[in-house]
Amino acid sequence: MHFSYSTMAAALALSGFALPGSTSAQEAPVEAAQAPGSADERAASMVVLMTLEEKLSLLKGFFGTDFPPAGFEAPDGARYGSAGYVPGVPRLGIPPQWQADAGIGVATQGGAAEKRARTALPSGLAVAASWDPQLAFAGGAMIGAEARADGFNVLLAGSVNLMREPRNGRNFEYAGEDPLLAGIIAGAAIAGVQSNRILATVKHFAVNDQETDRNDGNAILEEGALRMSDLLAFQIAIERGDPGAVMCAYNRVGGLYSCEHPFLLTQVLRGEWGYPGYVLSDWGAVHSTAAAANSGLDQESGFGLQRADWFNADKLRAAIQAGELAEEQVDLMAARILRSMFAHGLIDDLVSEGQPIDFAAHRAVSQQAAESGIVLLKNEGSLLPLGRETGRIALIGGHADKGVLSGGGSSQVYPDGGNAVPGLEPTTWPGPVVYYPSSPLEELRKLLPDATIEYADGTDHAAAARLAAASDIAIVMGTQWASESIDVELNLDGEQDALVEAVAAANPDTVVVLQTGGPVLMPWAGKVPAILEAWYPGRMGGAAIARVLTGAVNPSGHLPATFPDSLDQLPWPGAPRTGDLVYDEGATVGYEWFDANGHEPLFPFGHGLSYTSFAFDHLVAKRDGEGLVATVEVTNAGDRRGAEVVQLYLSGPAWDAPRRLGGFARVELEPGESKSVTIPIDPRLLADWVADRPGWTRAAGAYTVSAGRSSRELTDTVTIELPPSHLPPDWRPEG
Ligand code: BGC
């Protein structure tokens, strides 16, 4: 990718604060922070009162904990075992920034001896599978409430990297392969966190789409493709969530490190998108002092890690003295940080540790999220739901007698009740492997009191097969553990594929329940009648799985990512690369790639079955400003209450892929009930970003809008003629 940086200066000016005339730092009372005004005004006034040392202190974030590395001691005031700490300026009433990882819940850093036991949501991908922004908001609000109660005011949440690589070990933290779905879900989660008057990030900006070589990997893709895929997901998440901070990523993009990238941080983020907040680095992701600061990085995170030392006060002062960094730039950096602190309540509504948490209410939020995100992939002969008359059930593998799996790394939440299966390898980074104490076995026994449910751990395939043969139904729990800093194989861990084969051969009525970080291959898919994808289902996962299996909950999740049938269907079938990551697929990510290349996936993007059935009628699309608005009637044609996700797919006259997601809505319906849903279609999704004419260009011609239950099950299509149009690079939706 060869970016033009010519608009840099203009963009810098655009993003600048109007700082009042330069009074030198002066004696100011602690009430200075309470002065009235907008967040911009308050930040600008505050910067004037600060000494250079005070401003520099805001630009440096410490690792919030005493490990790693050996010998590092977090400064006084840091919260034990947390991700980060930026001291405040007590003289002026500026509180510290206490940072916690919080994609899935308030996390404790892996090495901490004492864990902060908090409520874990299902994985980010599971929440995306609900296609329900309100639910994502509720989850974010729950996490934010726990963070506030723990004295954290900056949550490193809002993970929205696109699933270009289904083996990425962090896919479980993200929101899938489509920029619209991912952006809407992550944006809602961010808004939920921030509804607690604390600040959330969006991360990792940008194209941090695999963990292999994550510190140096160089994402290479053409600018238009970048704009229409990974950047669009961030743009939508920022528009909807208004995060106080953006975390720049470890990796390089087009040759430059993300945290010293003028195109990403200044031209696009601040200039075109008008982003008013600050940019903080991922932990140890900075590689320069003046270059990073001049490119748009405001705060370096992770001091205490060996490689995080670029924004220390000595280096910044030296850069100023050498004329490489203007002092005004330091003012601007400090002002952006303060502006977000003012705008999101950090200064007016101080956090404090040790506040009460309503764990029962928070577990209910987590359970609802899990129940809404579980996807029924296959249900031949309506084997599910399990009836109360089911006599003998064999439950096999996946530690289903004890709990449910979670993903590893910095987002790891330690559950109240502790790790249900301690000691599994790896026990140290990128581990430990943590199972939440919500046992599918116990929950199934509660819901099916008349059934005989026996458990086999699945290590002995022959014993598992014997139990299955002696039972009416067999359920195999298939697991795949994934974690930050590693990529994973696209299968269940260990010998579990063979276990499924053995059980299915012994009992044709075999159900497979998956707990995976993302898609997996299923060589046995044709041999089992029912498959349920439960992702990492969170603190109440056992209950959620049991309720879906028994029909207490009607499944309604839909896949936020394509499940390939084989590795050779992927744009990059080889093992994840190092060095130059040439994304030849461009913007045709996920289902767009599969559709454009005629690959038949195992399960397509958007797919998800229900115990009832739905019909779509009367699809209408009409122009609405620069975009479209579509209306469709959804009917629950079966005999159970259920929720359906109406998906709208668009096709354009000369697009690289046959269709893209244009909008969606989740609808709850009683049996026989119909509802008309109205779905707006963002004009950017009707356009392409064409490199030689920056902005969103729509060709004239016939566009189609289709309603579907998945990207491959379209039930109704309308065509609409559209004139050409062009939206400038800084176009933003109203509101
Ligand atoms: C991760 C970030 C995380 C940070 C702080 C990094 O290793 O990439 O997502 O927020 O650590 O824990």
Side-chain angles (χ1 to χ4, degrees), residues 101 109 156 170 203-204 214 247 250 282-283 410 484:
D101 277 298
Q109 286 289 318
L156 312 172
R170 294 189 89 171
K203 68 185 188 184
H204 310 85
R214 73 166 169 172
M247 185 191 291
Y250 285 123
D282 202 340
W283 269 230
S410 58
E484 177 181 338

Side-chain angles (χ1 to χ4, degrees), residues 61-65 67-70 72-73 83 109 214-215 250 281-286 300-310:
F62 292 91
F63 211 104
T65 185
F67 48 81
F72 167 70
E73 271 190 38
Q109 286 289 318
R214 73 166 169 172
N215 290 324
Y250 285 123
S281 77
D282 202 340
W283 269 230
V286 184
E300 181 183 14
S301 316
F303 273 77
L305 291 170
Q306 258 167 8
R307 56 187 193 277
D309 192 37
W310 297 96

